[in-house]
Amino acid sequence: MQDVKLFDNRLLFKNEMVTEANMAAVFGGKRIVMFGLPGAFTPKCSNKQLPEYEDLYEQFINTNKVDDVYCISVNDCFVMNAWGNAGGTGGAGGG
């Protein structure tokens, strides 16, 4: 597998806090699943897509081939955190 180059510094949203982080330090040396969804609180994303990834989370982790799973979207950190809490994930994988 080819190495993916990450930007040295970007904004990272985590638990309703905006912090600048070195992406190589956050993701370097880890095997992650990162998936994107069009928008928080949209019917298809909330009722179908996100629950499917939530169901697969333990399977990903239990393979011992994935260190963590991240969901990205066009929404800000406040909306994403609220969506995670409303969906029962408790904001898990919130970056």
Side-chain angles (χ1 to χ4, degrees), residues 23-43:
M23 294 293 111
V26 174
F27 298 118
K30 295 181 183 176
R31 295 170 292 184
I32 63 168
V33 172
M34 184 174 293
F35 65 97
L37 296 177
F41 294 109
T42 60

Side-chain angles (χ1 to χ4, degrees), residues 4-22:
V4 176
K5 294 193 183 238
L6 301 171
F7 295 106
D8 288 333
N9 287 296
R10 285 296 198 199
L11 291 178
L12 173 68
F13 301 127
K14 183 173 182 171
N15 300 326
E16 296 188 11
M17 299 289 292
V18 178
T19 59
E20 188 170 319
N22 181 303

Side-chain angles (χ1 to χ4, degrees), residues 9 11 24 29 33 35 39 53 66 71 75-76 81 93:
N9 287 296
L11 291 178
V33 172
F35 65 97
Y53 278 101
V66 174
C71 175
N75 304 99
D76 64 33
N81 193 54

